[in-house]
Amino acid sequence: FTALCDLPDDEPVHVDAFLDVTEKTCNDASIFLAKQSDLVEQAVFQLMDLLKKHLKPSEQTNLERETEFRCQRPDAKHRTRCQECQPCCYFNLLGYYNQRNTEALVKCTRLSLEAIKRRLQTTNKYQEEMRKKEEPKHPLFKAEIILAIPNVVMRPSLDDIQSVLNKATQHILSMAKEVPQWAHTQWLIKQHQRESEAAQEIGEDAKMMPASYSK
């Protein structure tokens, strides 16, 4: 998977350096994943074009990208798709690969966050035997204990470390926002808007209808 963080293998790093590296890694990953996502989308459209070549001209109605694979037999009242006509089948095929593409982006995010979590976790006594079988984990962050009479303080403080972790997490979670949505997602939003408008109209008609007819 495409990592969204670069964890050091041998030496701990300063929290500021970790944040800078994470931000750069996320930026580079978003550019790479945006290109890959676009290539996958184009490949799916090419696959659909190949499938259309085996159809009769009369069966290719609304199978162009410009038509947004508009349903041929939508529900007149609720404006929902019939899910059975040829355009609906192609629309759902595109939706399947769109969902898989989204799942891949989510997987990158989840595995990157889990890698940071595992690196920060400490071993308790119940995991001691398991720990002996694993390679020792190096600390992630570099910190110093400073004598500030009459106190002994840690720099950076735990609050500073937590703040950096929060910012790094936000960078990782925001990475997918830089990946453009597929056309299917935009069409699906329009479809939901049409269905929502139809539901509102049905609700308004029901309010205007006399009680004797609404029973």
Side-chain angles (χ1 to χ4, degrees):
F1 73 101
T2 301
L4 305 181
C5 60
D6 186 10
L7 302 180
D9 295 326
D10 48 2
E11 295 182 358
V13 296
H14 194 273
V15 289
D16 292 334
F18 171 78
L19 183 60
D20 292 339
V21 170
T22 301
E23 183 177 3
K24 182 180 183 302
T25 302
C26 288
N27 291 337
D28 293 342
S30 66
I31 295 174
F32 172 76
L33 291 174
K35 293 180 180 179
Q36 296 302 309
S37 176
D38 181 66
L39 289 174
V40 173
E41 183 182 21
Q42 297 306 319
V44 174
F45 277 116
Q46 292 175 7
L47 171 63
M48 297 168 74
D49 289 337
L50 290 175
L51 294 174
K52 286 190 292 185
K53 291 182 179 179
H54 298 279
L55 299 176
K56 300 177 182 178
S58 59
E59 297 174 332
Q60 298 186 18
T61 305
N62 291 352
L63 293 186
E64 298 297 331
R65 186 169 181 171
E66 293 74 16
T67 65
E68 301 180 4
F69 298 93
R70 187 170 58 253
C71 179
Q72 293 178 338
R73 299 187 297 272
D75 185 282
K77 185 176 182 181
H78 299 89
R79 302 178 191 172
T80 55
R81 285 179 168 270
C82 70
Q83 306 297 342
E84 296 179 354
C85 67
Q86 201 74 253
C88 280
C89 293
Y90 275 68
F91 185 84
N92 291 335
L93 175 64
L94 180 60
Y96 169 79
Y97 286 104
N98 184 20
Q99 180 63 30
R100 294 300 299 272
N101 186 71
T102 301
E103 290 173 357
L105 295 175
V106 172
K107 183 178 180 180
C108 288
T109 302
R110 178 175 55 81
L111 293 181
S112 297
L113 293 175
E114 287 180 353
I116 297 176
K117 179 182 177 181
R118 287 195 301 270
R119 186 65 177 272
L120 294 173
Q121 281 180 333
T122 58
T123 305
N124 58 40
K125 62 180 181 179
Y126 300 105
Q127 299 173 317
E128 187 66 25
E129 293 299 326
M130 184 181 298
R131 184 188 65 81
K132 293 179 180 179
K133 300 178 182 179
E134 298 178 350
E135 295 183 2
K137 294 187 296 185
H138 295 280
L140 177 57
F141 296 123
K142 183 184 297 184
E144 297 177 347
I145 302 298
I146 301 175
L147 176 60
I149 299 176
N151 301 315
V152 176
V153 297
M154 186 174 75
R155 293 288 184 271
S157 66
L158 290 178
D159 289 339
D160 294 335
I161 294 175
Q162 184 63 57
S163 176
V164 167
L165 282 173
N166 292 341
K167 292 178 181 178
T169 300
Q170 288 303 316
H171 283 307
I172 294 174
L173 293 175
S174 300
M175 180 280 305
K177 295 180 180 179
E178 303 301 324
V179 179
Q181 292 181 338
W182 279 25
H184 177 272
T185 300
Q186 300 171 13
W187 299 338
L188 193 61
I189 292 174
K190 293 180 181 179
Q191 176 66 32
H192 289 163
Q193 289 176 344
R194 289 192 291 267
E195 294 176 5
S196 178
E197 292 172 357
Q200 291 178 359
E201 292 176 1
I202 293 173
E204 292 176 357
D205 292 342
K207 291 179 180 179
M208 297 175 62
M209 188 179 300
S212 58
Y213 291 96
S214 60
K215 293 181 179 180

